[in-house]
Amino acid sequence: MSLKENTRIWLPKVRKMALSLPMALLAAMVLVGINETGHMRSQDAVEQMSHGQNTRKAVNLLLQSMLDAETGQRGYLLTGNETYLEPYDKAVATVQTNLDGLRGLFMDAPEDMQEFALLSRQISRKLAEMELSLRLRRQGNEDAWKFILHTDVGKEHMEAIRKHALELIARSDMHVKQGQDQIEQSLMLSRIGIATVTVIGLLAFYMYLRQAQALQVVNQREQALLERERDRLEGLVKARTATLSELANHLQQVREDERGHLARELHDELGALLTAAKLDVARLKSRIDANAPEVAERLKHLTETLNSGIALKRRIIEDLRPSSLSNLGLTAAIEILTREYAERAGIEVETSLESVQLPDASQLTVYRMVQEALTNIGKYAKANKVLVSVHGYPTHVAVQVRDDGEGFDPATVRPTSHGLSGMRHRVESAGGRLSITSRPGNGTLVSAVLPLQRHGAEASSQPPSLAA
C-alpha cells in the first residue's frame, strides 16, 4: 500500500475521531452546567431551609417569652410580691428583641410579613392588657384588676397569639419542606444528568477507542512504509558517502603522487639546470678578468641568485614531498619542519616528540596535519608560542598542536573552511579522530588520535593535556 493510499484511508478516520472529541466536550460542558445548576438550586434551598428553621426558632422563643411574661404578671397579681416582676420585665424585653428579629426575617416575604403584623398587633394588645392589670394592682384598685383577671380578654389574646404564631410556624415548615423538595429535585436532576452525560461520554470514548485502534493500524502501516523508505535512503546515503570517501581518498592520493612527481621533476630537471648554471659561472670566473669591479660584482650577484634558486628549489621540494620523512623518520621530519617554521614565521615553537611506529601513510598524515596546523597559526592565530607534541600509547598515537593565539569559536567555522576539513578527512581516513578546542582569547588546541594499526581499537582514554 502506498503512502498516498494510506493517507486516503486515514483522513475519514480522523474526521470521525474529530467528531468524538466535540461530543466529549459537549458532555463535559453539560455535566458542568448540570452541576452548577444543581449547586445553585441546592444553595437556595439550603438558605430557604435555614430561613424557615430560624423563623420557627424565633417564633417559639417569642411564644416562650410571652408565656414567661404572663406567668410573672399573674404571680405578682396574686401575691403582690415584686420578685415576680423581674422575670416579667426580662420576658417583655425579650419579646421586643424577638419581634425585631422576626421583622428582619420577614422583610422579603410579603405574605409572612402580613401574618407577622397580625401577630405583632395581638402581642401589643396582650402586653397592654398585662401592663394595665399591673398598674391597677400597684394603684390598689383591687376590683378593677380582679375584673380584668377574671375576664376572657387575656385568654383571647393568648389564643390569637398562638394562632398567628402557629400559622407562622406552619409557613416556616412549608418553606423547609419546599427546600427539601428542591434539594431532592436537584439531586434527581444531577443523577439524571450525570447518567446521561456518562452514557454520552462512554459513547464518545467507545468511538474514540475504535478510531484510535484504526488509526494505530494505519500508523503502523505508515511507520513501516517510512522505515522502509528511511532504510532505502540510509543505504543510498551510505553508498554515496562511501563513494565520495573513496573519491576523496583517491584524489588525496593522486595529489600526493603529483606532489612526489613534481618534486622529483624539480629535483632532477630544475636541479640539474641550476647546478649546470652554477658550474658555468665557476668556469667563467676562471677565464675572465675578475679584477674589474663591475664584472666581479655581477658574478657575485649571479652566484648568490643561483644559490637562492637552489635553496628555493629545495624548500619547494620539501614542501611537496618531505624527503626527511622517508629518509629520517617522523620525529626528525617534524623537528625540521618546526625549526624552519619558527625561523620563517618568527614564532617560538617547542616540541615534545616521542618515537612512534606508524605506517608510512599515517606518518604522512601526521606530518601534513602538523604542517597545516602551523600554516593556520601563521595566517590567523597571531600567536607568540606554539607547542607540538607526539606521544605514543599502547593502542594509539596522540598528536597535539597548541598555540596561545587569539582563538576562535569552533561553531562559527564555515563549511567552506577547507583547511580544517582536509585535516579532519586525512585523520579519519587513517582511522583516527580529530578534535579542535578553542575559545576567543584562549588559543587553540588541535588534537588527533591515530590507532597503531589501521583497523585497531581506538584509544580508551584521552591523552594528557599539554601545558601552554
Side-chain angles (χ1 to χ4, degrees):
M1 184 182 293
S2 65
L3 188 60
K4 184 176 181 181
E5 294 175 350
N6 211 19
T7 303
R8 191 161 51 244
I9 296 174
W10 179 71
L11 285 176
K13 297 182 182 297
V14 170
R15 294 191 186 99
K16 292 180 181 179
M17 194 171 183
L19 179 62
S20 62
L21 181 60
M23 289 179 62
L25 292 176
L26 178 61
M29 293 174 63
V30 170
L31 181 60
V32 171
I34 292 173
N35 183 56
E36 289 299 319
T37 303
H39 175 71
M40 294 173 62
R41 293 188 63 183
S42 298
Q43 239 181 354
D44 294 339
V46 169
E47 291 178 358
Q48 186 175 357
M49 292 172 64
S50 176
H51 182 274
Q53 291 174 354
N54 291 334
T55 302
R56 181 186 180 91
K57 181 179 179 181
V59 172
N60 287 328
L61 289 175
L62 178 61
L63 284 175
Q64 185 62 44
S65 298
M66 288 301 299
L67 291 175
D68 292 341
E70 187 180 31
T71 302
Q73 181 248 1
R74 288 183 178 274
Y76 174 74
L77 291 177
L78 295 175
T79 63
N81 189 352
E82 293 290 337
T83 57
Y84 286 100
L85 292 179
E86 182 178 352
Y88 169 78
D89 293 334
K90 290 181 179 179
V92 170
T94 304
V95 166
Q96 296 299 328
T97 303
N98 292 336
L99 287 174
D100 294 338
L102 283 172
R103 188 176 291 108
L105 291 173
F106 295 139
M107 289 296 295
D108 297 331
E111 295 180 358
D112 293 342
M113 193 66 182
Q114 183 177 2
E115 190 68 27
F116 171 74
L118 297 175
L119 174 63
S120 179
R121 189 178 303 114
Q122 292 297 330
I123 289 175
S124 298
R125 291 176 179 176
K126 178 61 178 176
L127 291 176
E129 179 259 325
M130 288 190 296
E131 184 64 27
L132 177 61
S133 298
L134 291 175
R135 187 168 64 253
L136 293 174
R137 179 71 171 83
R138 290 190 186 99
Q139 293 174 355
N141 194 343
E142 296 289 335
D143 295 333
W145 68 263
K146 288 181 179 180
F147 175 77
I148 296 173
L149 183 64
H150 288 92
T151 60
D152 294 334
V153 175
K155 180 181 178 182
E156 292 174 356
H157 289 163
M158 283 303 297
E159 289 179 352
I161 290 172
R162 289 190 182 92
K163 175 184 176 183
H164 295 302
L166 291 175
E167 180 64 23
L168 289 175
I169 291 175
R171 289 178 178 270
S172 301
D173 293 340
M174 181 185 66
H175 293 323
V176 172
K177 184 65 169 58
Q178 289 177 352
Q180 291 175 348
D181 293 341
Q182 188 171 346
I183 289 177
E184 290 180 359
Q185 291 176 2
S186 299
L187 291 175
M188 182 60 67
L189 178 63
S190 298
R191 290 179 64 186
I192 295 173
I194 291 173
T196 304
V197 171
T198 302
V199 171
I200 296 175
L202 290 175
L203 179 61
F205 185 65
Y206 173 71
M207 294 175 61
Y208 173 80
L209 288 179
R210 287 195 60 186
Q211 302 309 319
Q213 185 177 7
L215 282 177
Q216 185 178 6
V217 173
V218 174
N219 287 335
Q220 289 176 351
R221 294 176 182 174
E222 185 177 357
Q223 187 67 25
L225 290 174
L226 291 176
E227 288 180 357
R228 287 198 294 270
E229 184 68 14
R230 183 187 61 191
D231 294 340
R232 187 184 70 83
L233 292 176
E234 286 181 354
L236 183 60
V237 169
K238 287 181 180 179
R240 296 289 175 83
T241 302
T243 302
L244 291 175
S245 180
E246 292 177 0
L247 178 60
N249 292 335
H250 174 70
L251 293 176
Q252 179 176 304
Q253 186 61 41
V254 169
R255 181 185 179 190
E256 292 296 335
D257 293 343
E258 289 295 327
R259 282 184 168 186
H261 175 71
L262 182 58
R264 287 191 297 272
E265 290 293 325
L266 288 174
H267 181 270
D268 296 340
E269 301 295 335
L270 183 59
L273 292 175
L274 292 175
T275 302
K278 190 173 181 180
L279 291 174
D280 290 340
V281 171
R283 292 192 190 97
L284 288 176
K285 281 184 179 181
S286 62
R287 294 186 180 184
I288 63 176
D289 185 7
N291 294 325
E294 184 178 355
V295 174
E297 184 68 25
R298 291 292 179 183
L299 289 174
K300 180 180 178 182
H301 181 266
L302 181 58
T303 301
E304 291 176 353
T305 301
L306 289 173
N307 289 333
S308 297
I310 293 171
L312 177 61
K313 181 262 301 181
R314 288 175 180 171
R315 188 167 67 251
I316 292 174
I317 290 174
E318 285 298 317
D319 288 339
L320 290 174
R321 186 72 175 184
S323 59
S324 59
L325 183 62
S326 56
N327 297 327
L328 303 176
L330 179 61
T331 302
I334 292 179
E335 287 179 349
I336 295 171
L337 174 64
T338 54
R339 184 174 64 251
E340 292 180 351
Y341 173 80
E343 294 174 356
R344 186 169 63 253
I347 299 175
E348 180 184 355
V349 180
E350 291 185 3
T351 58
S352 176
L353 307 176
E354 293 181 359
S355 179
V356 295
Q357 298 295 326
L358 286 172
D360 293 343
S362 298
Q363 290 187 23
L364 182 59
T365 297
V366 173
Y367 183 88
R368 292 300 187 198
M369 172 198 154
V370 175
Q371 187 181 42
E372 182 65 27
L374 293 175
T375 301
N376 290 337
I377 292 171
K379 288 182 179 180
Y380 310 111
K382 298 181 182 179
N384 296 318
K385 185 177 180 180
V386 178
L387 174 62
V388 179
S389 65
V390 178
H391 294 283
Y393 295 90
T395 59
H396 65 275
V397 173
V399 183
Q400 291 186 338
V401 180
R402 184 191 293 272
D403 67 77
D404 61 353
E406 294 181 344
F408 63 95
D409 184 3
T412 61
V413 177
R414 294 175 297 178
T416 56
S417 179
H418 300 298
L420 295 177
S421 299
M423 205 186 310
R424 188 181 302 278
H425 178 72
R426 277 182 176 274
V427 173
E428 290 178 354
S429 298
R433 183 176 67 253
L434 179 75
S435 61
I436 300 174
T437 306
S438 181
R439 283 192 303 171
N442 289 328
T444 302
L445 171 64
V446 179
S447 177
V449 176
L450 289 91
L452 290 179
Q453 295 182 356
R454 177 64 181 82
H455 299 289
E458 292 189 357
S460 59
S461 61
Q462 294 292 336
S465 57
L466 302 177

